[in-house]
Amino acid sequence: MSDADQLRAAFSAGTLLQPAPDRLNLVDLARALARLAGVDEEPSPGSDEITGHIGTPDHLVFVLADGLGMAQLELLPPDS
């Protein structure tokens, strides 16, 4: 099964959720973090919600771990 087929199957099974404007997404997070960092960013309903959850911190640390790749995930047991 190709990577694209695996991705489509995961979306169909509900294992992965497709991005949608009616639920929080990565763009909302980026906008919220930009606003909290002082960027004059146009708010969106999602970014406003995320900003409300974060509040007004004195310091903000954001850590993003990416690049694990599907090969690493496929090494995990099926029940992990």
Side-chain angles (χ1 to χ4, degrees):
M1 181 182 291
S2 73
D3 289 346
D5 290 336
Q6 288 181 11
L7 185 60
R8 281 191 282 274
F11 284 140
S12 294
T15 305
L16 293 177
L17 296 176
Q18 290 182 299
D22 62 335
R23 60 179 169 251
L24 297 178
N25 58 57
L26 187 60
V27 174
D28 293 326
L29 176 61
R31 286 183 173 175
L33 293 175
R35 285 181 54 215
L36 290 168
V39 176
D40 187 20
E41 175 69 34
E42 182 70 27
S44 66
S47 68
D48 278 343
E49 182 178 342
I50 292 172
T51 302
H53 289 296
I54 295 172
T56 52
D58 291 331
H59 303 281
L60 182 64
V61 177
F62 175 68
V63 177
L64 174 67
D66 191 15
L68 294 174
M70 285 302 296
Q72 292 297 318
L73 296 177
E74 290 170 350
L75 294 174
L76 295 171
D79 62 343
S80 64

